[in-house]
Amino acid sequence: GRKFFVGGNWKMNGTKNEIGDIIAFLKTGPLDPNAEVVVGVPAIYLTYVTSIVPGNVSVSAQNTYKVAKGAFTGEISPAMLLDNGIPWVILGHSERRNVFGETDELIAEKVAHALETGLKVIACIGEKLEEREAGKTEEVVYRQTKAIADKIKSWDNVVLAYEPVWAIGTGKTATPQQAQEVHEKLREWLSKNINSNVAQTLRIIYGGSVTAANAKDLAKEKDIDGFLVGGASLKPDFVQIVNARC
Ligand code: 13P
């Protein structure tokens, strides 16, 4: 079986004070021992959070560059994360794509380099509202997945996050049926284009306005293996989302 996975993407939020509150509810939990829990932390707090986070929670960066070092002002490399004991990175988030103009190609290069360096990757995909309304959801998520598939050698250390852009930060959560449909289609695509083992073992998680109120129903769907949580990951509700299968 695929281990249930819940990531909290803090985005560009958190002071040391606020982080203290988050760490407190993570410690109090209790967190489902059958769930893998990761928090995605702003770069400047990565080592701080690593030093105070409970042992049942892992730490992730929210971005890395596609090479190990060099003249790339402002960037951080996968090697630097590993050097600081950070095991995970979120790549291809819709905000990286749409606010910072990252292309499928760049994201795929970043994912490939991060994996080759030894990081684990939460790779994000998802269609915009106008793409869904134009009936292009599958075309878009297949294209985004293929860009990554073409550049990586193994999916072993990847979690694929399906995050429809229209559901992110909008309160318009995909229904369990809408999310399940895309997750199932992605597994079909993986089966046809990679192999059946990857299709069966890759965790595909859902993101977009996940809350304590809707997580349980989403978590019942057979191809939804967990969540990537934005706003609610800053609040004690995150514990209930981690425990959605309890
Ligand atoms: P919200 O949960 O705030 O909608 O954000 C989702 C997200 O982008 C997680 O990466």
Side-chain angles (χ1 to χ4, degrees):
R2 300 180 296 263
K3 188 170 189 175
F4 195 66
F5 183 101
V6 180
N9 177 7
W10 296 357
K11 309 191 180 184
M12 197 175 72
N13 294 293
T15 59
K16 283 192 180 177
N17 256 325
E18 289 164 355
I19 289 169
D21 293 343
I22 296 171
I23 298 298
F25 71 64
L26 291 174
K27 279 190 175 155
T28 303
L31 304 178
D32 178 358
N34 296 315
E36 182 168 6
V37 182
V38 174
V39 286
V41 175
I44 196 163
Y45 296 116
L46 283 167
T47 53
Y48 174 62
V49 170
T50 297
S51 72
I52 59 174
V53 81
N56 52 353
V57 178
S58 298
V59 175
S60 176
Q62 299 175 6
N63 187 25
T64 49
Y65 198 50
K66 63 175 177 177
V67 294
K69 62 177 183 174
F72 302 101
T73 302
E75 294 297 299
I76 292 172
S77 74
M80 292 169 176
L81 290 187
L82 282 182
D83 194 32
N84 283 281
I86 314 299
W88 283 94
V89 64
I90 299 167
L91 291 170
H93 191 276
S94 79
E95 289 142 24
R96 298 305 316 173
R97 294 175 185 269
N98 300 317
V99 182
F100 301 100
E102 294 191 10
T103 61
D104 289 345
E105 169 90 8
L106 176 60
I107 290 158
E109 288 171 342
K110 287 181 171 196
V111 172
H113 177 66
L115 292 173
E116 279 160 23
T117 305
L119 287 181
K120 297 184 267 193
V121 175
I122 301 166
C124 307
I125 60 171
E127 84 288 359
K128 296 177 189 172
L129 181 61
E130 60 265 32
E131 293 166 332
R132 173 164 283 260
E133 286 176 343
K136 292 187 171 159
T137 298
E138 283 164 49
E139 177 186 325
V140 170
V141 298
Y142 293 165
R143 188 198 74 221
Q144 293 167 333
T145 307
K146 182 179 189 303
I148 295 167
D150 285 348
K151 290 228 160 53
I152 69 174
K153 295 181 184 80
S154 164
W155 288 83
D156 285 354
N157 289 321
V158 180
V159 170
L160 189 63
Y162 169 57
E163 300 204 291
V165 181
W166 49 270
I168 295 177
T170 58
K172 289 185 188 154
T173 320
T175 65
Q177 294 70 28
Q178 282 175 319
Q180 165 59 27
E181 186 184 4
V182 177
H183 287 221
E184 192 171 349
K185 288 266 159 54
L186 284 165
R187 270 191 223 291
E188 281 170 25
W189 187 91
L190 292 163
S191 184
K192 271 190 210 132
N193 294 279
I194 314 294
N195 61 55
S196 61
N197 182 56
V198 169
Q200 279 161 31
T201 58
L202 178 68
R203 285 169 303 173
I204 307 178
I205 63 175
Y206 167 79
S209 298
V210 175
T211 65
N214 59 37
K216 272 194 181 298
D217 280 342
L218 286 158
K220 283 179 192 148
E221 296 295 332
K222 70 175 170 48
D223 291 304
I224 299 180
D225 303 315
F227 303 114
L228 190 57
V229 185
S233 73
L234 305 169
K235 301 185 290 186
D237 295 41
F238 186 65
V239 172
Q240 287 170 260
I241 297 170
V242 168
N243 295 337
R245 287 256 175 96
C246 289

mmCIF file of all heavy atoms in Angstrom, residues 7-9 11 90 93-95 124 163 167-171 207-211 228-233, ligand 1:
data_model
loop_
_atom_site.group_PDB
_atom_site.id
_atom_site.type_symbol
_atom_site.label_atom_id
_atom_site.label_comp_id
_atom_site.label_asym_id
_atom_site.label_seq_id
_atom_site.Cartn_x
_atom_site.Cartn_y
_atom_site.Cartn_z
ATOM 1 N N GLY A 7 1.630 16.947 3.427
ATOM 2 C CA GLY A 7 2.606 18.029 3.437
ATOM 3 C C GLY A 7 1.926 19.330 3.818
ATOM 4 O O GLY A 7 0.811 19.607 3.364
ATOM 5 N N GLY A 8 2.584 20.112 4.634
ATOM 6 C CA GLY A 8 2.112 21.461 4.936
ATOM 7 C C GLY A 8 3.021 22.435 4.209
ATOM 8 O O GLY A 8 4.228 22.445 4.451
ATOM 9 N N ASN A 9 2.441 23.183 3.281
ATOM 10 C CA ASN A 9 3.241 24.184 2.550
ATOM 11 C C ASN A 9 2.982 25.549 3.196
ATOM 12 O O ASN A 9 1.932 26.145 2.975
ATOM 13 C CB ASN A 9 2.830 24.173 1.076
ATOM 14 C CG ASN A 9 3.573 25.231 0.270
ATOM 15 O OD1 ASN A 9 4.487 25.892 0.772
ATOM 16 N ND2 ASN A 9 3.176 25.394 -0.982
ATOM 17 N N LYS A 11 4.335 28.243 2.538
ATOM 18 C CA LYS A 11 4.562 29.357 1.605
ATOM 19 C C LYS A 11 5.408 30.436 2.307
ATOM 20 O O LYS A 11 6.239 30.104 3.126
ATOM 21 C CB LYS A 11 3.224 29.874 1.055
ATOM 22 C CG LYS A 11 2.364 28.726 0.498
ATOM 23 C CD LYS A 11 1.167 29.156 -0.297
ATOM 24 C CE LYS A 11 0.415 27.922 -0.786
ATOM 25 N NZ LYS A 11 -0.731 28.242 -1.648
ATOM 26 N N ILE A 90 9.801 20.938 -2.344
ATOM 27 C CA ILE A 90 8.599 21.110 -3.177
ATOM 28 C C ILE A 90 9.058 21.784 -4.467
ATOM 29 O O ILE A 90 9.727 22.825 -4.416
ATOM 30 C CB ILE A 90 7.560 22.025 -2.474
ATOM 31 C CG1 ILE A 90 7.092 21.437 -1.153
ATOM 32 C CG2 ILE A 90 6.368 22.292 -3.411
ATOM 33 C CD1 ILE A 90 6.310 22.431 -0.270
ATOM 34 N N HIS A 93 5.507 24.165 -7.839
ATOM 35 C CA HIS A 93 4.266 24.701 -7.278
ATOM 36 C C HIS A 93 3.661 25.737 -8.226
ATOM 37 O O HIS A 93 4.380 26.457 -8.913
ATOM 38 C CB HIS A 93 4.531 25.328 -5.907
ATOM 39 C CG HIS A 93 3.268 25.653 -5.194
ATOM 40 N ND1 HIS A 93 2.579 26.824 -5.406
ATOM 41 C CD2 HIS A 93 2.536 24.934 -4.313
ATOM 42 C CE1 HIS A 93 1.475 26.803 -4.668
ATOM 43 N NE2 HIS A 93 1.430 25.678 -3.998
ATOM 44 N N SER A 94 2.348 25.839 -8.245
ATOM 45 C CA SER A 94 1.683 26.749 -9.192
ATOM 46 C C SER A 94 2.138 28.191 -9.007
ATOM 47 O O SER A 94 2.154 28.961 -9.969
ATOM 48 C CB SER A 94 0.172 26.647 -9.072
ATOM 49 O OG SER A 94 -0.287 27.379 -7.972
ATOM 50 N N GLU A 95 2.507 28.545 -7.781
ATOM 51 C CA GLU A 95 3.006 29.925 -7.592
ATOM 52 C C GLU A 95 4.378 30.106 -8.235
ATOM 53 O O GLU A 95 4.698 31.182 -8.740
ATOM 54 C CB GLU A 95 2.997 30.263 -6.090
ATOM 55 C CG GLU A 95 1.562 30.431 -5.597
ATOM 56 C CD GLU A 95 1.301 29.891 -4.209
ATOM 57 O OE1 GLU A 95 2.249 29.774 -3.408
ATOM 58 O OE2 GLU A 95 0.113 29.568 -3.932
ATOM 59 N N CYS A 124 4.705 19.316 -8.172
ATOM 60 C CA CYS A 124 3.324 19.815 -8.264
ATOM 61 C C CYS A 124 2.908 20.054 -9.709
ATOM 62 O O CYS A 124 3.677 20.575 -10.516
ATOM 63 C CB CYS A 124 3.185 21.122 -7.497
ATOM 64 S SG CYS A 124 3.744 21.046 -5.790
ATOM 65 N N GLU A 163 -2.590 19.807 -7.828
ATOM 66 C CA GLU A 163 -3.154 21.012 -7.224
ATOM 67 C C GLU A 163 -3.798 21.870 -8.314
ATOM 68 O O GLU A 163 -3.104 22.668 -8.964
ATOM 69 C CB GLU A 163 -2.053 21.832 -6.537
ATOM 70 C CG GLU A 163 -1.331 21.091 -5.430
ATOM 71 C CD GLU A 163 -0.710 22.053 -4.428
ATOM 72 O OE1 GLU A 163 0.245 22.763 -4.771
ATOM 73 O OE2 GLU A 163 -1.217 22.124 -3.307
ATOM 74 N N ALA A 167 -8.317 25.939 -7.245
ATOM 75 C CA ALA A 167 -8.663 25.519 -5.885
ATOM 76 C C ALA A 167 -7.679 26.040 -4.842
ATOM 77 O O ALA A 167 -7.920 25.913 -3.641
ATOM 78 C CB ALA A 167 -8.731 23.998 -5.814
ATOM 79 N N ILE A 168 -6.574 26.635 -5.308
ATOM 80 C CA ILE A 168 -5.516 27.039 -4.374
ATOM 81 C C ILE A 168 -5.829 28.392 -3.770
ATOM 82 O O ILE A 168 -5.934 29.393 -4.478
ATOM 83 C CB ILE A 168 -4.148 27.070 -5.085
ATOM 84 C CG1 ILE A 168 -3.743 25.663 -5.524
ATOM 85 C CG2 ILE A 168 -3.092 27.672 -4.164
ATOM 86 C CD1 ILE A 168 -2.439 25.605 -6.298
ATOM 87 N N GLY A 169 -6.006 28.396 -2.444
ATOM 88 C CA GLY A 169 -6.216 29.646 -1.719
ATOM 89 C C GLY A 169 -7.545 30.326 -2.012
ATOM 90 O O GLY A 169 -7.743 31.492 -1.677
ATOM 91 N N THR A 170 -8.472 29.595 -2.633
ATOM 92 C CA THR A 170 -9.735 30.185 -3.054
ATOM 93 C C THR A 170 -10.917 29.730 -2.207
ATOM 94 O O THR A 170 -11.997 30.304 -2.304
ATOM 95 C CB THR A 170 -10.055 29.764 -4.506
ATOM 96 O OG1 THR A 170 -10.103 28.336 -4.558
ATOM 97 C CG2 THR A 170 -9.005 30.275 -5.464
ATOM 98 N N GLY A 171 -10.722 28.681 -1.412
ATOM 99 C CA GLY A 171 -11.848 28.087 -0.701
ATOM 100 C C GLY A 171 -12.699 27.197 -1.594
ATOM 101 O O GLY A 171 -13.660 26.586 -1.135
ATOM 102 N N GLY A 207 -3.988 18.916 -3.504
ATOM 103 C CA GLY A 207 -3.852 20.204 -2.825
ATOM 104 C C GLY A 207 -4.800 21.227 -3.405
ATOM 105 O O GLY A 207 -5.076 21.227 -4.618
ATOM 106 N N GLY A 208 -5.272 22.131 -2.554
ATOM 107 C CA GLY A 208 -6.184 23.190 -2.983
ATOM 108 C C GLY A 208 -7.336 23.309 -2.006
ATOM 109 O O GLY A 208 -8.281 22.534 -2.062
ATOM 110 N N SER A 209 -7.218 24.272 -1.075
ATOM 111 C CA SER A 209 -8.277 24.536 -0.092
ATOM 112 C C SER A 209 -8.685 23.293 0.709
ATOM 113 O O SER A 209 -9.864 23.076 0.991
ATOM 114 C CB SER A 209 -9.481 25.183 -0.765
ATOM 115 O OG SER A 209 -9.116 26.440 -1.330
ATOM 116 N N VAL A 210 -7.684 22.471 1.065
ATOM 117 C CA VAL A 210 -7.959 21.348 1.971
ATOM 118 C C VAL A 210 -8.117 21.911 3.382
ATOM 119 O O VAL A 210 -7.333 22.752 3.828
ATOM 120 C CB VAL A 210 -6.819 20.307 1.941
ATOM 121 C CG1 VAL A 210 -7.062 19.208 2.969
ATOM 122 C CG2 VAL A 210 -6.674 19.711 0.546
ATOM 123 N N THR A 211 -9.169 21.444 4.058
ATOM 124 C CA THR A 211 -9.452 21.892 5.425
ATOM 125 C C THR A 211 -9.738 20.683 6.306
ATOM 126 O O THR A 211 -9.931 19.564 5.797
ATOM 127 C CB THR A 211 -10.705 22.800 5.472
ATOM 128 O OG1 THR A 211 -11.849 22.002 5.088
ATOM 129 C CG2 THR A 211 -10.583 23.996 4.536
ATOM 130 N N LEU A 228 -1.473 18.157 0.023
ATOM 131 C CA LEU A 228 -0.535 19.265 0.200
ATOM 132 C C LEU A 228 -1.389 20.458 0.633
ATOM 133 O O LEU A 228 -2.278 20.892 -0.095
ATOM 134 C CB LEU A 228 0.238 19.551 -1.093
ATOM 135 C CG LEU A 228 1.417 20.519 -0.957
ATOM 136 C CD1 LEU A 228 2.421 20.033 0.091
ATOM 137 C CD2 LEU A 228 2.134 20.692 -2.299
ATOM 138 N N VAL A 229 -1.119 20.926 1.838
ATOM 139 C CA VAL A 229 -2.001 21.871 2.521
ATOM 140 C C VAL A 229 -1.310 23.225 2.632
ATOM 141 O O VAL A 229 -0.174 23.305 3.115
ATOM 142 C CB VAL A 229 -2.321 21.347 3.944
ATOM 143 C CG1 VAL A 229 -3.337 22.261 4.626
ATOM 144 C CG2 VAL A 229 -2.821 19.912 3.896
ATOM 145 N N GLY A 230 -1.979 24.279 2.205
ATOM 146 C CA GLY A 230 -1.424 25.619 2.341
ATOM 147 C C GLY A 230 -1.905 26.273 3.621
ATOM 148 O O GLY A 230 -1.405 25.992 4.716
ATOM 149 N N GLY A 231 -2.910 27.139 3.502
ATOM 150 C CA GLY A 231 -3.390 27.932 4.635
ATOM 151 C C GLY A 231 -3.640 27.148 5.913
ATOM 152 O O GLY A 231 -3.222 27.579 7.002
ATOM 153 N N ALA A 232 -4.290 25.996 5.792
ATOM 154 C CA ALA A 232 -4.636 25.222 6.991
ATOM 155 C C ALA A 232 -3.413 24.582 7.647
ATOM 156 O O ALA A 232 -3.502 24.098 8.786
ATOM 157 C CB ALA A 232 -5.679 24.157 6.657
ATOM 158 N N SER A 233 -2.257 24.591 6.971
ATOM 159 C CA SER A 233 -1.061 23.993 7.593
ATOM 160 C C SER A 233 -0.461 24.914 8.646
ATOM 161 O O SER A 233 0.428 24.511 9.401
ATOM 162 C CB SER A 233 -0.015 23.645 6.532
ATOM 163 O OG SER A 233 0.627 24.799 6.014
HETATM 164 P P1 13P B 1 -4.340 26.263 0.131
HETATM 165 O O1 13P B 1 -4.470 25.011 0.982
HETATM 166 O O2 13P B 1 -4.113 27.494 0.947
HETATM 167 O O3 13P B 1 -5.422 26.361 -0.873
HETATM 168 O O4 13P B 1 -2.967 26.073 -0.703
HETATM 169 C C1 13P B 1 -2.756 24.891 -1.381
HETATM 170 C C2 13P B 1 -1.364 24.860 -1.847
HETATM 171 O O5 13P B 1 -0.972 25.615 -2.717
HETATM 172 C C3 13P B 1 -0.446 23.908 -1.216
HETATM 173 O O6 13P B 1 0.755 23.839 -1.902
#
